């Protein structure tokens, strides 16, 4: 019923949803037939469906390199996340992981569900990695080594300060941005971006995930490590877990807004990075997740539901972002629209209101100075139905039949 209600309220998202469904089915048909590549792309769908979709839009060589890069780092992350592994065992594995990706016989079982499958059959990923061009291998090895060392460092310490928060996010995400820039360069399709811009691309995504996933992470059993910096949350509560309790709702929202404001500091760098990209498929690969991030932050800001359940963009809006993100004018338009939504939620009595508004104004200034805002279509639409409900239901049923037909092929 929730999906039907969303369609009724946003009928303009019907067509993008259908296009996304068709594109996803077509992407599945491109999966290579060799067992190791088949495993890699099938696993990619299981560990991150959204990233799998944008990765599969890339040209073949770069697509394979990015897919393997993602799976290698996902495997590394699985080791870091498994709280059942003693630190004296975990740290050496993290520090040596960049060497294990050259050894099809290396094996270490950990993680749960699909992540356990990934680790148990990591030899497929290694086999695929060994088939990549040397330039791709060097980039993946370098980033894996640096990330493993950074993860090992933070296994042994908590995130206390904002500087440490940035450092941790650099190791687990900023390095991903740097690695992707190196892969784009190795493909000869892009120039090598400045490290600071590549880092910001990763930090913006990572901080959005950390903010959005508060409740899931704090409630995880066994207890997950949390990465909200004490320097921020201690201004509002005595313990980080206190944010989820109803009696602390005011403080929780203020802390949340502080975290969102911190994440917004990376937006201008992200816009600079994306504006320099030349190859359309690489641009879409980079731009879609960034728009999803600013959209997610706009939804999370001043929203107590972050501490009560799941806050995320509805599927139809996600489909619209994927469908409409083709040029830099689309990106500027999306960032402007979502920043307007965020601005409308800022309350004067919030302790960080001035800082938040200043950061929003800086984002909007960058978008306005691009000179292309009048060329974009809005991502933020009214919550009121704009079409006759009976007609929308009929169209929805027809689309459901079409999707079922396509799925059965």
């Amino acid at each position: 019923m929730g999906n039907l209600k969303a369609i009724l309220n946003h009928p303009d998202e019907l067509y993008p949803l259908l296009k996304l469904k068709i594109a996803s089915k077509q992407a599945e048909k491109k999966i290579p037939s060799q067992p190791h590549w088949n495993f890699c792309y099938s696993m990619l769908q299981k560990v991150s469906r959204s990233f799998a979709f944008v990765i599969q839009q890339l040209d073949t060589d770069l697509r394979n390199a990015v897919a393997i890069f993602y799976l290698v780092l996902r495997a590394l992350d699985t080791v870091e996340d498994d709280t059942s592994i003693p630190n004296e065992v975990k740290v050496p594995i993290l520090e040596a992981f960049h060497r294990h990706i050259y050894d099809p016989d290396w094996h270490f079982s950990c993680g749960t569900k699909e992540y356990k499958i990934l680790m148990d059959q990591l030899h497929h990923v290694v086999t695929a990695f060994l088939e990549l061009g040397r330039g791709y291998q060097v980039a993946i090895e370098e980033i894996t080594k640096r990330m493993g060392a950074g993860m090992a460092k933070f296994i042994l310490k908590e995130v206390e300060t904002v500087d440490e928060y940035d450092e941790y996010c650099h190791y687990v995400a900023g390095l991903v941005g740097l690695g992707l820039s190196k892969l784009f360069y190795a493909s000869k399709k892009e120039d090598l971006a400045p490290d600071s811009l590549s880092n910001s691309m990763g930090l913006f995504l990572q901080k959005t995930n950390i903010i959005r996933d508060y409740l899931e992470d704090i409630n995880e059993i066994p207890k997950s490590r949390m990465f909200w910096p004490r320097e921020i949350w201690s201004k509002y509560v005595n313990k980080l877990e206190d944010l989820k309790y109803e009696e602390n709702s005011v403080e929780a929202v203020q802390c949340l807004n502080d975290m969102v404001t911190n994440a917004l500091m990376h937006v201008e760098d992200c816009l600079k990075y994306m504006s320099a990209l030349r190859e359309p498929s690489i641009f879409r690969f980079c731009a879609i997740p960034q728009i999803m991030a600013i959209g997610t932050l706009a939804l999370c800001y001043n929203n107590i539901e972050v501490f009560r359940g799941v806050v995320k963009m509805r599927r139809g809006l996600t489909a619209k972002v994927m469908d409409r993100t083709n040029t830099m004018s689309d990106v500027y338009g999306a960032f402007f629209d979502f920043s307007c939504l965020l601005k409308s939620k800022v309350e004067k009595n919030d302790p960080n209101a001035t800082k938040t508004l200043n950061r929003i104004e800086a984002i909007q200034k960058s978008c306005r100075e691009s000179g292309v805002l009048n060329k974009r279509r809005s991502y933020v639409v009214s919550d009121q139905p704009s079409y006759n409900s009976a007609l929308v239901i009929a169209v929805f049923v027809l689309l459901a039949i079409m999707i079922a037909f396509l799925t059965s092929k």
Side-chain angles (χ1 to χ4, degrees), residues 98-115:
H98 64 286
R99 293 195 293 271
H100 298 319
I101 61 177
Y102 286 95
D103 182 5
D105 295 325
W106 183 81
H107 177 262
F108 184 77
S109 184
C110 62
T112 60
K113 300 178 182 178
E114 59 268 21
Y115 301 102

Side-chain angles (χ1 to χ4, degrees), residues 203-219:
L203 263 63
F204 187 54
L205 299 183
Q206 181 67 19
K207 289 184 176 183
T208 299
N209 290 340
I210 287 173
I211 292 167
R212 180 199 63 196
D213 294 340
Y214 167 86
L215 189 64
E216 178 184 345
D217 291 342
I218 203 78
N219 287 338

Side-chain angles (χ1 to χ4, degrees), residues 174-194:
L175 286 174
V176 178
L178 180 58
L180 287 170
S181 291
K182 289 178 178 292
L183 294 180
F184 300 157
Y185 182 74
S187 74
K188 298 183 171 56
K189 295 181 183 296
E190 299 287 353
D191 293 329
L192 191 58

Side-chain angles (χ1 to χ4, degrees), residues 94-333:
L94 293 173
E95 292 175 334
F97 206 86
H98 64 286
R99 293 195 293 271
H100 298 319
I101 61 177
Y102 286 95
D103 182 5
D105 295 325
W106 183 81
H107 177 262
F108 184 77
S109 184
C110 62
T112 60
K113 300 178 182 178
E114 59 268 21
Y115 301 102
K116 186 178 189 308
I117 297 173
L118 173 62
M119 294 303 297
D120 285 344
Q121 301 189 49
L122 193 64
H123 62 277
H124 288 308
V125 179
V126 173
T127 300
F129 169 79
L130 294 173
E131 292 181 2
L132 298 177
R134 184 57 186 157
Y136 293 136
Q137 290 178 346
V138 170
I140 294 172
E141 178 187 0
E142 177 194 343
I143 298 302
T144 304
K145 179 179 181 179
R146 293 170 64 180
M147 185 179 291
M151 286 178 169
K153 176 179 178 179
F154 276 91
I155 286 295
L156 305 174
K157 65 181 297 186
E158 295 295 323
V159 176
E160 299 285 344
T161 68
V162 171
D163 284 344
E164 288 175 342
Y165 180 45
D166 285 342
E167 183 183 8
Y168 171 77
C169 290
H170 164 72
Y171 286 131
V172 300
L175 286 174
V176 178
L178 180 58
L180 287 170
S181 291
K182 289 178 178 292
L183 294 180
F184 300 157
Y185 182 74
S187 74
K188 298 183 171 56
K189 295 181 183 296
E190 299 287 353
D191 293 329
L192 191 58
D195 286 3
S196 60
L197 300 187
S198 300
N199 187 60
S200 288
M201 289 284 283
L203 263 63
F204 187 54
L205 299 183
Q206 181 67 19
K207 289 184 176 183
T208 299
N209 290 340
I210 287 173
I211 292 167
R212 180 199 63 196
D213 294 340
Y214 167 86
L215 189 64
E216 178 184 345
D217 291 342
I218 203 78
N219 287 338
E220 186 173 308
I221 300 174
K223 182 68 76 175
S224 172
R225 298 182 70 237
M226 296 294 294
F227 297 100
W228 287 45
R230 182 184 295 272
E231 185 179 338
I232 290 180
W233 62 257
S234 64
K235 292 185 288 184
Y236 306 96
V237 288
N238 293 323
K239 298 179 181 178
L240 183 55
E241 65 184 39
D242 291 346
L243 294 172
K244 70 178 182 178
Y245 299 127
E246 190 170 348
E247 61 266 28
N248 299 320
S249 294
V250 173
E251 293 82 2
V253 167
Q254 291 177 347
C255 182
L256 169 65
N257 294 346
D258 203 341
M259 291 287 289
V260 171
T261 301
N262 174 273
L264 293 177
M265 68 186 291
H266 304 292
V267 169
E268 291 168 88
D269 276 356
C270 294
L271 292 173
K272 290 177 184 177
Y273 182 98
M274 290 183 283
S275 68
L277 296 172
R278 301 173 300 185
E279 208 284 321
S281 66
I282 292 177
F283 172 79
R284 276 175 49 80
F285 170 82
C286 293
I288 289 172
Q290 296 292 327
I291 293 175
M292 296 290 293
I294 187 67
T296 299
L297 290 180
L299 293 177
C300 288
Y301 185 85
N302 214 38
N303 188 351
I304 191 62
E305 289 305 310
V306 170
F307 305 98
R308 305 288 182 265
V310 179
V311 175
K312 62 180 180 180
M313 290 173 60
R314 62 184 181 274
R315 290 179 61 190
L317 184 53
T318 298
K320 188 189 291 186
V321 169
M322 291 182 173
D323 182 46
R324 292 187 178 181
T325 304
N326 297 296
T327 67
M328 198 59 206
S329 63
D330 299 325
V331 171
Y332 283 125

Side-chain angles (χ1 to χ4, degrees), residues 38-98:
N38 187 279
F39 172 84
C40 290
Y41 279 100
S42 298
M43 186 54 58
L44 198 60
Q45 287 279 350
K46 294 176 182 176
V47 298
S48 180
R49 184 174 294 275
S50 58
F51 268 112
F53 177 79
V54 292
I55 287 173
Q56 287 173 332
Q57 311 305 304
L58 298 169
D59 290 343
T60 304
D61 286 350
L62 183 57
R63 180 181 71 220
N64 289 344
V66 172
I68 298 308
F69 181 48
Y70 186 88
L71 289 175
V72 165
L73 298 187
R74 178 56 66 188
L76 180 66
D77 189 57
T78 299
V79 176
E80 183 206 24
D81 282 347
D82 193 329
T83 55
S84 69
I85 307 171
N87 287 344
E88 59 269 22
V89 175
K90 181 182 294 187
V91 169
I93 292 175
L94 293 173
E95 292 175 334
F97 206 86
H98 64 286

Side-chain angles (χ1 to χ4, degrees), residues 21-22 25 28 399-409:
K21 183 67 176 180
I22 294 172
K25 297 303 293 183
E28 290 175 9
L399 289 176
I401 293 171
M402 294 173 64
I403 290 171
F405 175 75
L406 287 167
T407 304
S408 66
K409 292 295 184 181

